[in-house]
């Protein structure tokens, strides 16, 4: 199992860079950031600095979307970073939640997202792609490589990820839901004639290493609110008890009352007060070191290739260090790409 660190790009940017460097030293292989231009600083500028100050870390957004940047601009940005630092980027992408809604726009359709995945990947890897009816190619790209991983929750999104994406990002750490989501995406991959095992699976969720579960839950309760904000769309589309989506994912949002993006992804988010302890425990990774190892082994056995740790709470450095000292050595397979400086 690989490990990633997920951060918001709050100022000062140097703080984000320093935590990413700390994570690489601790054995993390991936560095991810949120991408919402109004709420936080521009991630790709910070990605460049992270890549410059690390040796092997693979860096990308969790997640960008097809609506806030022209697709050729997104592809060119990734291709430029790859040319500078040796194919050390990954494109996490989704419909767009905070980035679109805060700017007064609706999230992108799945059709638009699926088209964008192919276009961005083709352009970033030097191939020709059709953009707004015009064939484009980045003529300067040489030996580019850009895996594109799609974030998904619902049946249609999971099916799309299986058909077109290189990886699947699941933003929760509930083993039962993870098993259902992986099976859905891989079934779709097989039906599309793809190798289901080739679909990389990344589970992204907060982790807090502490025997004080009450405090850990309060620091991570925001995540249930964030997931609930996505799940509310699924409930509106399918209904809470339709059978299309497991009730273990949808039942807790019945008490949800709106969402304030001013607190998005932050400990103490008042929009998460409806989230019960049981959901926090299921969706996050909490407890002592042994508890983390046990839950992550369960996820690994279900087919999870990477655990990406949301580190938005009051113990950022301590969590990175605990993972580096005890948890990553118990679970990691250290398969590093060649260093760009070797």
């Amino acid at each position: 199992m690989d490990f990633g660190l997920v951060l918001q790009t709050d100022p000062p940017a140097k703080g984000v860079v320093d935590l990413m460097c700390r994570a690489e030293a601790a054995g993390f292989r991936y560095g991810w950031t949120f991408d919402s231009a109004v709420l936080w600083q521009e991630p790709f500028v910070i990605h460049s600095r992270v890549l410059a100050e690390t040796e092997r870390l693979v860096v990308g957004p969790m997640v960008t979307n097809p609506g806030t940047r022209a697709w050729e601009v997104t592809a060119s940005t990734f291709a430029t970073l790859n040319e500078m630092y040796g194919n050390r980027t990954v494109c996490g992408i989704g419909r767009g939640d905070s980035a679109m809604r805060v700017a007064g726009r609706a999230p992108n359709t799945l059709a638009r997202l699926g088209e964008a995945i192919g276009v961005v990947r083709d352009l970033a890897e030097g191939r020709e792609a059709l953009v707004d009816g015009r064939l484009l190619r980045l003529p300067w790209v040489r030996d580019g490589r850009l895996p594109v991983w799609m974030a998904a929750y619902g049946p249609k999104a999971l099916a799309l990820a299986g058909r077109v994406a290189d990886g699947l990002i699941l933003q929760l750490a509930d083993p039962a839901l993870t098993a259902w989501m992986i099976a859905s995406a891989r079934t779709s991959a097989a039906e599309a004639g793809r190798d289901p095992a080739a679909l990389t699976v990344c589970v992204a969720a907060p982790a807090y290493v502490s025997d004080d579960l009450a405090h850990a839950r309060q620091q991570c309760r925001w995540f249930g609110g964030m997931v609930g904000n996505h799940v509310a769309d699924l409930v509106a589309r399918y209904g809470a008890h339709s059978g299309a989506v497991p009730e273990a994912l949808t039942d807790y949002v019945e008490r949800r009352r709106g969402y304030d993006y001013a607190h998005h992804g932050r400990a103490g988010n008042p929009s998460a007060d409806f989230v019960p302890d049981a959901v926090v425990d299921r969706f996050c990774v909490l407890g002592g070191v042994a508890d983390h190892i046990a839950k992550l082994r369960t996820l690994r056995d279900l087919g999870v290739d990477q655990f990406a740790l949301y580190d938005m709470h009051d113990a950022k450095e301590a969590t990175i260090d605990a993972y580096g000292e005890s948890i990553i050595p118990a679970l990691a397979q250290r398969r590093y790409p060649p260093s760009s400086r070797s």
Side-chain angles (χ1 to χ4, degrees):
M1 178 179 272
D2 286 326
F3 289 82
L5 183 73
V6 189
L7 298 173
Q8 293 171 333
T9 52
D10 288 313
K14 185 179 185 303
V16 177
V17 176
D18 289 347
L19 286 171
M20 291 296 187
C21 291
R22 189 184 193 112
E24 182 183 59
F28 287 77
R29 231 193 116 201
Y30 284 76
W32 301 92
T33 68
F34 279 35
D35 178 14
S36 189
V38 174
L39 295 176
W40 303 291
Q41 292 181 318
E42 169 55 36
F44 288 104
V45 176
I46 298 172
H47 291 174
S48 184
R49 191 67 180 177
V50 171
L51 288 162
E53 295 199 15
T54 57
E55 292 282 343
R56 303 179 187 277
L57 206 67
V58 178
V59 175
M62 187 177 281
V63 292
T64 193
N65 72 87
T68 53
R69 294 179 180 84
W71 299 353
E72 67 272 21
V73 173
T74 299
S76 183
T77 301
F78 278 110
T80 301
L81 292 173
N82 283 337
E83 188 278 327
M84 294 171 69
Y85 300 108
N87 286 339
R88 289 169 53 204
T89 67
V90 57
C91 177
I93 194 168
R95 292 178 61 224
D97 176 39
S98 62
M100 297 295 287
R101 286 180 164 133
V102 168
R105 308 182 189 112
N108 296 271
T109 65
L110 287 176
R112 181 172 172 81
L113 174 57
E115 183 183 358
I117 287 172
V119 168
V120 169
R121 181 171 51 213
D122 282 346
L123 290 177
E125 294 185 345
R127 294 184 293 277
E128 198 172 57
L130 191 66
V131 182
D132 295 329
R134 183 182 180 88
L135 284 173
L136 299 179
R137 187 174 69 85
L138 306 181
W140 49 270
V141 174
R142 299 289 183 273
D143 302 318
R145 181 178 179 274
L146 182 66
V148 182
W149 298 4
M150 179 183 152
Y153 285 110
K156 292 181 180 179
L158 291 164
L160 176 63
R163 290 196 303 272
V164 304
D166 301 300
L168 173 65
I169 296 172
L170 305 176
Q171 291 171 309
L172 46 74
D174 179 283
L177 291 173
T178 296
W180 172 76
M181 291 175 172
I182 292 174
S184 297
R186 288 191 165 153
T187 296
S188 176
E191 291 172 350
R194 307 178 77 198
D195 178 5
L199 184 71
T200 301
V201 177
C202 172
V203 158
Y208 199 103
V209 184
S210 173
D211 292 326
D212 185 348
L213 280 178
H215 181 73
R217 286 170 180 146
Q218 284 305 106
Q219 288 295 304
C220 298
R221 197 176 305 276
W222 63 265
F223 184 65
M226 188 182 84
V227 173
N229 198 48
H230 295 292
V231 171
D233 286 345
L234 297 179
V235 172
R237 184 174 301 117
Y238 298 105
H241 309 290
S242 66
V245 180
E247 292 188 14
L249 180 60
T250 62
D251 57 5
Y252 82 102
V253 303
E254 292 178 358
R255 294 176 55 233
R256 175 181 177 271
R257 297 291 182 270
Y259 193 80
D260 184 353
Y261 282 98
H263 306 283
H264 189 58
R266 299 188 186 279
N269 185 345
S271 298
D273 59 359
F274 71 96
V275 181
D277 287 351
V279 167
V280 181
D281 293 347
R282 287 196 292 115
F283 285 11
C284 303
V285 183
L286 310 176
V289 166
D291 299 309
H292 286 246
I293 291 172
K295 186 163 189 177
L296 293 174
R297 279 180 174 157
T298 298
L299 292 170
R300 181 190 63 186
D301 292 345
L302 291 173
V304 174
D305 300 293
Q306 178 185 155
F307 176 58
L309 183 163
Y310 282 108
D311 205 23
M312 283 80 81
H313 47 56
D314 64 1
K316 294 181 178 66
E317 292 85 355
T319 302
I320 293 169
D321 294 347
Y323 265 70
E325 291 165 6
S326 304
I327 298 168
I328 291 176
L331 290 151
Q333 297 176 358
R334 299 180 179 274
R335 302 185 309 275
Y336 295 116
S339 170
S340 61
R341 299 180 185 176
S342 61

